[in-house]
Amino acid sequence: NDSFAVLVPFWAVWPFETMIVAKTHVANVSQLDTQQVRDLAAAMQALTIRYDNLFQCSFPYSMGLHQSPTATHPDAGCCHLHLHFYPPLLRSATVRKFLVGFEMMAEPQRDLTAEQAAARLRAQDPIHYKTRTT
């Protein structure tokens, strides 16, 4: 949308790891205007619907929000609002990815590229699978 981009970072460790990034410099959620709040909600909804549609299940994920610590913090102006989504599902609703010793201590092993994950998510219907009429 006009305010936020949803992307799969090239460094993604989790199969369908994504980020929602503000398109303009915004340090924290308190700086969002009314339209940006709506756009953030729309981006989150669009992403999580596509997650659910991917394997037609309630797709689990952990989400983190990165923003400036406080408005008066010396580095507040350097912070850029973004969200991370870390979903553990790999190949189906029942196959999860686990980081094992060599991945934790050396290099993560990817089952699909960031481009493949982005294409699969982009290809999902924007209508939630439970609410489709056909």
Side-chain angles (χ1 to χ4, degrees):
N1 58 41
D2 291 338
S3 305
F4 292 90
V6 180
L7 56 93
V8 177
F10 69 86
W11 63 84
V13 172
W14 298 98
F16 296 99
E17 179 179 333
T18 56
M19 295 176 69
I20 297 179
V21 182
K23 289 183 177 180
T24 59
H25 181 66
V26 179
N28 60 61
V29 293
S30 70
Q31 294 177 348
L32 297 176
D33 63 31
T34 302
Q35 187 57 50
Q36 289 171 317
V37 170
R38 286 188 190 109
D39 286 350
L40 178 57
M44 292 173 71
Q45 182 179 37
L47 174 60
T48 56
I49 285 173
R50 283 176 169 80
Y51 274 161
D52 286 358
N53 288 348
L54 190 62
F55 299 128
Q56 298 205 349
C57 69
S58 181
F59 203 90
Y61 60 86
S62 293
M63 184 196 84
L65 172 70
H66 287 207
Q67 62 181 347
S68 64
T70 65
T72 58
H73 190 278
D75 296 327
C78 300
C79 299
H80 190 83
L81 176 67
H82 61 283
L83 290 77
H84 290 267
F85 290 78
Y86 301 105
L89 297 184
L90 181 57
R91 293 183 194 95
S92 73
T94 59
V95 178
R96 295 178 186 261
K97 177 176 178 70
F98 294 95
L99 291 179
V100 294
F102 68 90
E103 287 185 290
M104 294 171 71
M105 303 300 173
E107 181 70 27
Q109 303 300 304
R110 296 188 181 104
D111 291 72
L112 68 163
T113 66
E115 294 80 8
Q116 291 168 325
R120 288 185 61 188
L121 288 169
R122 199 178 303 114
Q124 297 305 308
D125 194 322
I127 307 298
H128 197 278
Y129 75 96
K130 287 185 176 182
T131 60
R132 285 189 214 136
T133 56
T134 58

